[in-house]
Structure formats: C-alpha cells, structure tokens
Amino acid sequence: AQKVTQAQTEISVVEKEDVTLDCVYETRDTTYYLFWYKQPPSGELVFLIRRNSFDEQNEISGRYSWNFQKSTSSFNFTITASQVVDSAVYFCALSGGSGGSNYKLTFGKGTLLTVNP
Amino acid sequence: DAGITQSPRHKVTETGTPVTLRCHQTENHRYMYWYRQDPGHGLRLIHYSYGVKDTDKGEVSDGYSVSRSKTEDFLLTLESATSSQTSVYFCAISEHPPGLVSGELFFGEGSRLTVL
C-alpha cells in the first residue's frame, strides 16, 4: 500500500524566511511518482511538480525547490524567501508506477504554511 | 485552466436523504476521480473511473457509489447521507494515470456538503 506522511501539521514563518516542508513516503513499487500540490485559502488545488523515482536530481523553479532522496524516502519542498502569497496548505502525493496503483494518487494530510508579514 | 465543473458547489441536506454530486469535464480526459477533504485527513480517494462505465473503489468508498455513462460526466451518489459524510468533495481529471508520463491530476473547485 502507498503511504505519504507529512509530519508537520502547521508551520508559521515570517516573510523572507526560508521554509522546508517535509514529505516521507512508503511504497513497494520500484517505479513511482511523487507530486506536490498547493491549496491556497481560496480552496482550489494547484499542481506544482511531478517527479519520477528514477530522477533524483533536485529541481528548482524560482523560489521553489524540491529535494528527492530515495535513500530516505523523502521528497521535501523548500520555499526560499517566503512571501505572504505562499500561505497555503501544501500536499505531497504518491502514485505507483504499475498495476492498479498507477491509477491512484495517494495524498498526505497536508501542511498548513502561514507566512506572516 | 482545465474545464471541470462541479455541481452543486454547496449543499445542505438531512441525514438519510440521497445526494448526487456531479462532475462535468470538457477536456475529454479518460480518468476521473472523486476525493473528499476533511480536517486532519487531507485528501482521500473515494472512487475513480478509468473509462466510460469503468470504475473502481478508493480508500473510503463505503456509503458512496459512482456512475460514468459518458466521458464528460462522473456522478457521485450518497444513497443515504450521514453526518460523517459532511465534507468538501473534489473531482479531479487526468489525461493519463498519475503513474504514467504527464499524469498530473487537475481538480475542480470543490463541493461543500453539509449533512444535518
């Protein structure tokens, strides 16, 4: 079974601080895919990134970066120089790469990030 | 933005009544999903569809049924609503399964259901 753990329920930072959101996953699949979604206060779910298990290169997109470490089954998300607009719930998610598990996306419980001015 | 419309967006109903939520897409995507979001639980998969008339259960399917008679519509039915089904329901679509290339899910705006 797939499992995603986001141990940080809530994080509060002051604007311009860097913040890292942790994500630990469990899967028996050798091929799998990891995702991050953002849910701002308005409620919609916004896709941020998708990585496959064969690509452990870190990825950077503007102020966002992702650190994928297979050895620790982690896919952490860092926001550099946080801004108030980054305030949202962030979800990490996992999909298997074969059989029926590749049809489903399993989400963690989410981390509420509050960036204070 | 992906063309996904959920209806109704808000509904208040009483325990024991049937409720149907509709998800309509204009993207012609094969895969459709129903999730519920509850505080402390994140998003949990209720049912999903991998084609017309092809559906399967997710992790919290008890008390729910679904139907997909055409590509664009995926209906979620609560046969007899209970207070534990008070939640925000999200529909999602994807062109490919999330476990394949370019398989990201795109979500609707959510439907808030309150069961009294």
Side-chain angles (χ1 to χ4, degrees):
Chain A
Q2 323 279 349
K3 185 178 179 182
V4 177
T5 302
Q6 295 180 257
Q8 304 151 309
T9 305
E10 295 186 33
I11 300 175
S12 181
V13 299
V14 176
E15 206 169 18
K16 297 184 183 178
E17 283 186 28
D18 298 346
V19 57
T20 295
L21 309 181
D22 297 333
C23 173
V24 174
Y25 61 90
E26 295 177 31
T27 180
R28 293 180 181 174
D29 291 336
T30 54
T31 301
Y32 50 90
Y33 297 82
L34 295 159
F35 300 74
W36 276 94
Y37 280 81
K38 174 182 180 180
Q39 186 178 41
S42 52
E44 74 272 24
L45 283 147
V46 179
F47 167 77
L48 294 178
I49 190 171
R50 176 182 185 275
R51 298 303 298 277
N52 71 57
S53 53
F54 295 110
D55 184 1
E56 289 193 67
Q57 278 192 324
N58 290 336
E59 181 149 345
I60 298 174
S61 176
R63 296 183 297 106
Y64 295 173
S65 62
W66 291 268
N67 184 316
F68 175 32
Q69 291 197 334
K70 232 172 171 176
S71 60
T72 56
S73 297
S74 65
F75 186 44
N76 296 337
F77 174 30
T78 296
I79 302 174
T80 302
S82 60
Q83 300 176 1
V84 172
V85 293
D86 296 326
S87 296
V89 179
Y90 291 87
F91 291 99
C92 181
L94 166 69
S95 178
S98 61
S101 66
N102 67 353
Y103 286 162
K104 310 173 196 177
L105 198 54
T106 299
F107 284 83
K109 295 182 179 180
T111 298
L112 172 62
L113 173 65
T114 302
V115 181
N116 299 296
Chain B
D1 290 341
I4 310 169
T5 305
Q6 291 185 229
S7 60
R9 294 289 314 283
H10 301 272
K11 185 171 181 68
V12 180
T13 191
E14 294 190 351
T15 297
T17 60
V19 176
T20 295
L21 304 181
R22 180 186 185 226
C23 178
H24 177 79
Q25 60 144 329
T26 58
E27 305 295 324
N28 201 37
H29 285 351
R30 178 179 175 185
Y31 300 89
M32 298 185 75
Y33 306 81
W34 277 108
Y35 283 86
R36 62 178 288 175
Q37 183 177 16
D38 305 288
H41 291 278
L43 289 148
R44 294 180 292 174
L45 181 63
I46 305 171
H47 281 280
Y48 65 99
S49 170
Y50 48 97
V52 173
K53 298 191 190 303
D54 292 322
T55 64
D56 204 352
K57 297 179 180 179
E59 61 181 301
V60 290
S61 59
D62 287 349
Y64 302 95
S65 62
V66 290
S67 66
R68 191 167 178 202
S69 59
K70 45 187 177 177
T71 299
E72 57 266 35
D73 288 327
F74 192 32
L75 304 180
L76 176 70
T77 297
L78 292 66
E79 301 290 348
S80 177
T82 67
S83 58
S84 65
Q85 293 175 312
T86 292
S87 186
V88 179
Y89 291 86
F90 283 95
C91 174
I93 65 173
S94 64
E95 187 174 8
H96 305 287
L100 289 177
V101 175
S102 301
E104 57 263 32
L105 270 60
F106 297 99
F107 285 83
E109 294 179 315
S111 294
R112 183 174 295 275
L113 175 66
T114 302
V115 184
L116 303 176

